Amino acid sequence: MIPATAATALDFARVRADFPALDQEVHGRPLVYLDSAATTQKPTAVLEAIDNFYRRDCANVHRGVHTLSQRATVAYESARTAVKEHLGARDSREIVFTRGTTEAINLVAASFVRPRLGAGDEVLISAMEHHSNIVPWQLLCAERGANLRVIPIDDRGDVILEEYERLLSERTRIVGITWVSNALGTVNPIREMIATAHSRGIPVLVDGAQAVPHLAVDVVELDCDFLAFSGHKAYGPTGIGALYGKRAHLLEMPPYQGGGDMILSVSFERTVYQEPPHRFEAGTPNIAGAIGLAAALSYLEGLGAEAVADHERRLLDEATRKVLEVPGARLIGSARHRAGALSFVLDGIHPHDIGTILDAEGVAVRAGHHCAQPVMKRYGVSATVRASFGVYNSSDDIEALVRGLHTAREVFS
Ligand code: PMP
C-alpha cells in the first residue's frame, strides 16, 4: 500500500504538486488520471521551459547569426545532449529528433531496412506490438516482396523465446520489438533478445515508448541498434521524440525526408547532405518540443529511475490485487515482469461502458484496443480497460478506480 501523503522514496506530495493539470475536477469529482500510457501529464518544469523559449528565445535554429537564433540553437542542441545522456548513448550525433516513436520507426524502416530488404527477406516482430511497430513493416514488406514474421506470445503475455530463436533466420533483416507492451504491460527480456539476434548478425530496433517513462535505459549496455521513444509519454510535450541509432548505422543511412537544414549544399545538379543526425531532420524542427523534452528528462532524473520504478511497481502490484477482487474481473496479460499498465475486462460489461462510468466519477482510464489489435485478438477480446500509472499516482487513485468498477458492476447487474 502506498499512502498518498506519507513519505515514499519519491516525496509523493511534492511530485503531485508539480503537475498542475491534476489539480482539477471532472464531472464534479477530483480528477484521477490513470491514462499515462497514452500520454502523461506535464510538470511545471516542462511548461516553464516551453514558455521561456517562446517568451525569450524564439527563433529558428542552425541558420541565424543573431542572438536569439544562437540561443535557440544552443538550447536545441543541448536538448540533444540531454537525450543522449538520458539514454546512456556515447555520442549526441546518435540522437535524431523525430515527432515521436512512430516517426522514429518509420525512419528506420525507410532508411535503414529498405535498402537491405529483398524479395523473400524477413522482418521479425512480436505479437504484442503497437500498430506503429507493425504497419511500417507491412508497408515495407509489401513494397519489397518481403515477409513479416511474428513471434508468438503465451497466455500470460510473455514472448515465447524458443519460438523467437526458431524464427530468426538467414533471411531476417531486422528484429523490431517493444521493450514494454502498452497493451499488456509485459516487460520483455530485451537484453537477451538483442544478444540472441546479434549472435546471428541481425540488428534490433527497440520500441522504447513505454520503457523510457518507467525504466532506467542504457543503450550501450543493451547494445540495441536503434531505440525509439516519444516525449509525451515521459512527461514531455507531444510532437517530439527521438531515435537513438548506432553511429555506424546512421552514417550508412540515406536521408529520410528532403528539405532545409538536412543539406550542406544544394544545386540543381547535385545536393550534398549533412552528416547524421541533421541529415534526418529536414525542415524546421520542433524546437520548443525538444527543449520541453530535455526538461522532462531532467525532471525524471531528479526523481531517480529507481525511485520511479519502485513506486510504479508497488502501484501496479496493488492495483492488480485490488482489481482482481472485483467480481468478474480478468487480467489481460499477467507476464512475469510488468510495468506501467494493467489491462483487464469485467465479465458482461463492455470496456467502453466501464470507461464511461469511470469518467463520470472523475477517473480517466483507456478503454479500447490500445492500437494493438493483433494482441487483443490473441486474447479473444476486442478491447480492454487499461489503467496506467505515472509518478503522480497513489493508492488513493487505485481506490477510486476500484470504487468505479464496483459502480459499473451495480449499474450492469
Ligand atoms: N509503441 C508503443 C509501445 C506505444 O505505447 C506507443 C503509443 N501508445 C507507440 C509506440 C506510438 O507512440 P507515438 O504515438 O507517440 O508515436
Side-chain angles (χ1 to χ4, degrees), residues 37-38 100-103 130 132 178 180-182 207 209-210 230 232-233:
T101 309
T102 302
E103 188 180 34
H130 186 277
S132 63
T178 194
V180 179
S181 155
N182 67 309
D207 173 350
Q210 299 293 343
S230 301
H232 70 99
K233 295 182 195 285

Side-chain angles (χ1 to χ4, degrees), residues 165-179:
E165 296 211 15
R166 205 180 54 74
L167 282 161
L168 286 169
S169 82
E170 293 202 332
R171 311 284 331 231
T172 312
R173 295 290 167 259
I174 189 142
V175 173
I177 178 111
T178 194
W179 189 345

